[in-house]
Amino acid sequence: MYFTVKVDEEKCIGCKLCILTCPEANVIKLTENNKVCIDTNRCKGCFLCVSVCPKKALEKGNM
Amino acid sequence: MSLRNITPVKEFEDILPEEYKELVNNGPHSKNKSIDDLGTFKEIVEQHPHCAGCGVSLGIRLALASLPSPEDSIVIGTPGCSFFGLSQSALNYSNTAFGNQSAVASGLKRMLNIRYPDKHKDVMVMVGDGGIADIGLDLTLHSWFRKEKITTIMLDNEVYGNTGGQESGMSKKGTVLNMAPKGKNFDKIPVFDLAKTSGCDYVAKVTVANPKKLGQVVKNAILVAREVGPTYLQIFTPCPTNMKFPPDQTIKIAKEASKDSYSFEEFMTDKAADYLKSLK
């Protein structure tokens, strides 16, 4: 089983805190409408982004 | 590496991987990107074998994203955890024998000054705490005494991560680690204070919990090293695997450390302060 992170697009405010705490490069990116999207194939599942999200828009999940 | 060096010839364009094409089209080369633009451009670090939640890889990623000119930067490393991430970057990277990084960097900087007299080539040493505080301490100190214009960045995870969690000179006193079952006997080696008194013109201490400050400090250090003299940065990068905490606590541990032992400190000489002011 692989762990990954899911984004709730309604709650995301595009503050980029998750982008600044992810140890993996190029995994979390900003889309054109100022929301984040996650490359689930390359996420290692450390959940650092979940722990810093102020709006709880990111959730732990399985692949 | 400059954009000209990585741009492929037309015949090979279609067989190259997607990531490579993105780096050429949307990379940070000569576009003056900073840490605030992260997430909107392709970073120069690629997939690396660091553990989940690794502080060292976060430190490398943030430091490389805030380089003033990535096309003219050369990074010198040494064996250790930092080697994994740095060797996957699209920078000129050279790995040396353990502890020799500052000597190699001094030689490279002198050679590049002769070869490119009209250009600034930023030579950076980016290694872990073992490479600077334990094995390479003499060469690091001597590069500062000689006033070599290089930037030294320590990614301090307070442990020998790559070999399985042995005690390092930068571990805290009393920490129980492999090879230190009764707790470490002596204090952290004060490399930060040594740097201040050994001739560094810009010295700073940050944690990965404060990315914006980290980016600003890396930029300042590299700019000062271009004209004034040697610079030193110490970045706290906690290690979840060997310090034995869950990987989602890395930022929390770094934040706690920034309140006591790793509070933000910046020291610069008058010459460096004047130079930074003249740039603004």
Side-chain angles (χ1 to χ4, degrees):
Chain A
M1 191 168 69
Y2 294 97
F3 294 110
T4 187
V5 175
K6 283 173 188 163
V7 191
D8 188 343
E9 290 226 338
E10 283 177 12
K11 286 184 190 167
C12 181
I13 51 167
C15 65
K16 302 218 293 183
L17 271 179
C18 49
I19 296 177
L20 292 174
T21 53
C22 181
E24 298 298 306
N26 306 313
V27 167
I28 312 183
K29 292 206 162 170
L30 210 64
T31 56
E32 278 166 10
N33 49 359
N34 212 19
K35 311 268 176 198
V36 293
C37 74
I38 291 173
D39 186 351
T40 47
N41 293 322
R42 295 170 62 177
C43 170
K44 282 182 183 167
C46 65
F47 304 134
L48 270 175
C49 47
V50 180
S51 73
V52 294
C53 185
K55 296 280 168 193
K56 298 201 170 140
L58 297 164
E59 258 177 41
K60 297 178 185 183
N62 296 330
M63 271 261 295
Chain B
M1 264 173 248
S2 67
L3 193 60
R4 197 176 66 91
N5 278 4
I6 60 169
T7 308
V9 289
K10 254 186 192 157
E11 286 80 6
F12 289 122
E13 244 169 26
D14 55 324
I15 57 165
L16 284 168
E18 281 299 313
E19 288 87 2
Y20 193 96
K21 282 184 211 160
E22 213 190 328
L23 181 70
V24 176
N25 298 329
N26 194 21
H29 298 285
S30 47
K31 279 179 198 151
N32 211 0
K33 298 277 184 195
S34 77
I35 213 157
D36 300 320
D37 307 311
L38 271 180
T40 55
F41 67 95
K42 168 87 178 165
E43 289 162 52
I44 34 182
V45 199
E46 250 310 312
Q47 258 188 314
H48 49 65
H50 280 287
C51 312
C54 176
V56 172
S57 62
L58 177 56
I60 290 173
R61 179 178 169 241
L62 295 175
L64 293 192
S66 45
L67 296 180
S69 61
E71 60 273 12
D72 291 326
S73 300
I74 291 146
V75 184
I76 313 295
T78 209
C81 274
S82 55
F83 156 78
F84 296 129
L86 286 169
S87 56
Q88 306 296 326
S89 65
L91 285 173
N92 287 310
Y93 173 73
S94 169
N95 202 34
T96 62
F98 210 155
N100 282 359
Q101 67 280 357
S102 297
V104 174
S106 314
L108 262 174
K109 179 78 191 180
R110 290 178 189 184
M111 182 273 287
L112 287 167
N113 267 347
I114 298 168
R115 175 69 181 78
Y116 302 99
D118 49 343
K119 247 186 187 177
H120 288 299
K121 292 278 177 185
D122 308 325
V123 179
M124 294 182 338
V125 168
M126 204 188 270
V127 296
D129 49 322
I132 287 184
D134 290 346
I135 297 147
L137 186 61
D138 49 353
L139 293 173
T140 308
L141 283 178
H142 274 270
S143 77
W144 294 338
F145 296 145
R146 276 184 271 123
K147 292 262 179 192
E148 301 285 351
K149 288 177 182 170
I150 52 179
T151 309
T152 309
I153 301 180
M154 181 203 277
L155 302 159
D156 179 15
N157 55 1
E158 301 190 328
V159 74
Y160 276 93
N162 193 21
T163 46
Q166 287 86 1
E167 154 196 344
S168 113
M170 294 298 282
S171 307
K172 273 188 199 155
K173 192 180 180 181
T175 326
V176 176
L177 290 158
N178 293 346
M179 313 293 277
K182 289 182 181 169
K184 198 192 167 207
N185 283 334
F186 59 97
D187 278 319
K188 259 174 108 90
I189 300 175
V191 186
F192 188 77
D193 302 323
L194 284 174
K196 278 193 215 168
T197 50
S198 312
C200 279
D201 281 293
Y202 184 91
V203 188
K205 193 158 91 166
V206 277
T207 69
V208 284
N210 202 339
K212 299 229 161 131
K213 206 155 248 175
L214 197 159
Q216 190 194 345
V217 157
V218 170
K219 206 160 241 180
N220 284 352
I222 290 171
L223 292 176
V224 169
R226 278 180 181 175
E227 288 289 336
V228 187
T231 56
Y232 173 68
L233 296 182
Q234 195 171 316
I235 306 175
F236 182 54
T237 56
C239 171
T241 308
N242 292 304
M243 304 304 268
K244 308 212 167 41
F245 56 84
D248 61 344
Q249 305 288 308
T250 307
I251 296 295
K252 200 182 142 203
I253 301 266
K255 240 177 214 165
E256 276 166 14
S258 69
K259 275 171 198 156
D260 50 19
S261 62
Y262 246 97
S263 54
F264 178 70
E265 257 185 88
E266 199 180 29
F267 161 85
M268 57 180 117
T269 53
D270 297 336
K271 222 175 157 190
D274 290 343
Y275 177 66
L276 283 178
K277 234 181 226 169
S278 70
L279 288 180
K280 278 165 195 168

